[in-house]
Amino acid sequence: MAYSLSQAGFSVVVLEAGPRFDPTQYPLNQADWERLPKTFSASRDAQRDHYTSGPKEPLNPQYRHLQSWTEGEKVSVNKTHRAPPKVYRVKGVGGCTLHYQGEAHRFSPHAFKSRSLFGYGEDWPIQYEDLEPYYDKMEKLLGVAGDPNNPFKAPRGPFPNPPHRLSCASQRFKQGFDELGLQLHQNSVAILSRPYDGRVPCNYCNGCSQGCMMGSKSSMDVSLLPKAEATGNTRILANATAAQIQIDGEEKAKGVMFFDEKKQENFVHAKVVVLSASAMESPRLLLNSESKAFPDGLANRSGGVGLYFMETMFHDLTALFDEPIHSHKGLQIDARCWNYNFPNPSQSFQAGVVFGVSPLGLIGPGAYSKYLVHGWGKSHKDQMREYFGRTLHLFAIGEQHPHPNNQVKLDPTERDGFGLPVSQLATQLHANELEMLNFMAIRGKAISNAARVKRVLGEASAYDLSGITHMGGTCRMGSDPQRSVVNQFCQSHDVPNLFVVDASCFVTQGGGDSPSLTIQALALRAGEYLAKEARKGNI
Amino acid sequence: MAKPIHVLNRRKVLVWGGMVGALLLSGGTLVRWLYKIDALPDLEHIHEPLLEQSFENFSAYEATVLHEVAGLIIPADQHPGAKEALVVVEFDQMAKNNERFKVLCQQGVRWLDEIANDLFQVKSFLQLDCSAQTKILLKADVPLKTVWEKISDKIQYGETHLGYTFFQSLKQQTFAVFYAHPMGWMTVGYHGPPQWSGHLDYHICV
């Protein structure tokens, strides 16, 4: 939004709760990089970033076989409840794109019509065709690399950059997919495969999640925000935590109260307020902005703020191969399998699922010794040699149906370091999700068997664990102001000069695709609309 | 009619309970004083000489024991191990900013000597050969199970699970330090940190 509005000549102030990072200071070039604190977790301010969870969720014993396990560690047979929600996020200039793996997926056309096509969730008030030009534009801005000939995706023109070659590790796992008649396809990623827009291409260090030192991953801090600042129209205030959106007598937003880096209270006046704080923090800010006119939270006359929270449904299998596959080298996620992205009515669940392969955190020997190789002495050393560079994760991400009871609320008692009520996440798995997780586990094992992996070293499942990287819902878009929070341009139904532009406005989750590119395309579209309406004097 | 005689009454239970509690609380300190475990053991017949480097946070004796333990955690074979990588020097640096780690290491060294004495009647862990030292570490690698074991550990060493806690911590730090060292990389065929060279050969399988 900052990019699009500043390009259109509007004056923009960005309030960013976290710091501004310097990519050259990421520790990936240090000998002891695995021992150093992770760049983005080290920056977290526990008091500022606090959140709580709702009542513990009991595990459904019928699916006990999905319980997570790791080789060499005893599985607790007495585990009765799911782990509390754990959200992975970054507060900093560039937000979660600082640690994302660069995946740049377009949602498929069917993902916008799940109610009419498959009978679950809701249809979006927009279709793929509405978003397509903005997907195109955003891909060009980010220099997305990919193969346009993906039969599971909508027909499209060429990507701005050619696809990355599959890593040795992905080529090896592909044999299993091939044997089952599945397609492990080159992923589309906002990671440069050749010099582009003044930035250098990726050198395949695999450290995307710890911040790209090369600037080859198009995180917002190195791609769009510098362009926004270069216009002279955008000012970014780092370490500025938005606390409350205030309204005037006409029920319009008049600005934002925030705490600056010295934790002093400040106020910034604005003609328009755009909220892009994530599906957890955006509803929290609205709920914390209650007033006489909006006693249940700002822009919440529908009562929908915070509802329909969708978390990340995942299954992960750690596979060990006989031979070296150099799994520490490459891109974090260079290959995906979209065969199950289109929900299949003959399955026991209704949702899209996408498989992928990745080393995830296993990119240096320290991580192997910490997470996988537990013994000591000669056997430890032998096992390190047996595992290093031969271990790869096969994972699946699927969509969670939007349920009104899965929600972000304000915790009635807990406060953050500024004295503001924190978010309380209440999520629950329903029968559809459990069946989907079961499917992921069964298919994952079949694929790894077909790939002739030497051994499975562990499995992790959203059945009993929580690892929320993709989240959505909570300020969903829709045409009916009684049943949605924002309209198709992410504009509040209740407060016309307030926009919520992040995954909060998602109606469904895109069948397992990564959300970033869709958030970014929605932002370009909303920015264009906002600029047009503002010029007409309608906002 | 004669009054019944109670072997146990409420007062006795309270008195004895209090005494046991006080013993548990003060036991560690008491035993430490009795054993004078701060004193340096007799170092005759040790298998390796004490390290000669100057350590800021550990005595030469403590550092040498930690060095030996690290060497058992990651031994040398066709490639160097934790001793060759001198991980103990890094432990000394860590101890500077981490008082808990420092104290745990110091207590751990004394615990090793105690067990060496119990099992092999020697005063120092360093007097044992590799196989006897390994036996002690195997004992340390198993968490205590019974309540009595835990109480006994608390009385004897002032901390429940001391040996286990010490060994788990040292193991974790030995791995972390060793695999952040070029000698550790060599062991598994790793070529160093991700940047700036990256892995331009990432797609080649040979």
Side-chain angles (χ1 to χ4, degrees), chain A residues 486-512:
Chain A
V486 296
N487 67 15
Q488 59 159 307
F489 295 105
C490 305
Q491 179 184 26
S492 159
H493 290 303
D494 300 339
V495 184
N497 68 337
L498 173 67
F499 288 71
V500 184
V501 188
D502 54 29
S504 310
C505 70
F506 280 20
V507 181
T508 52
Q509 273 184 311

Side-chain angles (χ1 to χ4, degrees), chain A residues 168 171 203 376-377 380-381 385, chain B residues 73 75 80 141 179 195 199 205:
Chain A
C168 168
Q171 290 170 43
N203 68 356
W376 55 280
H380 162 83
K381 229 171 160 186
R385 291 191 190 102
Chain B
I73 292 170
D141 202 21
Y179 293 115
Q195 291 295 356
H199 303 293
C205 282

Side-chain angles (χ1 to χ4, degrees), chain B residues 73-109:
Chain B
I73 292 170
I74 305 182
D77 49 14
Q78 69 268 38
H79 290 119
K83 277 168 84 169
E84 290 69 26
L86 275 178
V87 297
V88 68
V89 173
E90 187 59 27
F91 293 163
D92 188 51
Q93 288 304 303
M94 287 164 59
K96 187 158 60 179
N97 302 315
N98 187 340
E99 185 64 18
R100 193 181 177 281
F101 178 71
K102 179 181 170 178
V103 171
L104 186 61
C105 286
Q106 290 171 330
Q107 290 179 333
V109 167

Side-chain angles (χ1 to χ4, degrees), chain A residues 293-342:
Chain A
F294 294 98
D296 299 322
L298 187 60
N300 193 23
R301 292 206 170 115
S302 66
V305 171
L307 306 192
Y308 303 106
F309 177 75
M310 296 172 285
E311 58 164 305
T312 317
M313 291 293 104
F314 68 91
H315 177 268
D316 177 280
L317 180 151
T318 312
L320 174 68
F321 286 84
D322 261 321
E323 71 281 17
I325 56 170
H326 312 291
S327 53
H328 57 297
K329 302 178 180 179
L331 294 173
Q332 272 282 294
I333 308 177
D334 67 355
R336 284 283 208 170
C337 166
W338 278 274
N339 284 71
Y340 303 108
N341 177 236
F342 192 90

Side-chain angles (χ1 to χ4, degrees), chain A residues 39-50:
Chain A
T39 310
F40 305 124
S41 53
S43 73
R44 285 180 186 160
D45 176 333
Q47 272 198 313
R48 183 197 61 195
D49 298 345
H50 187 38

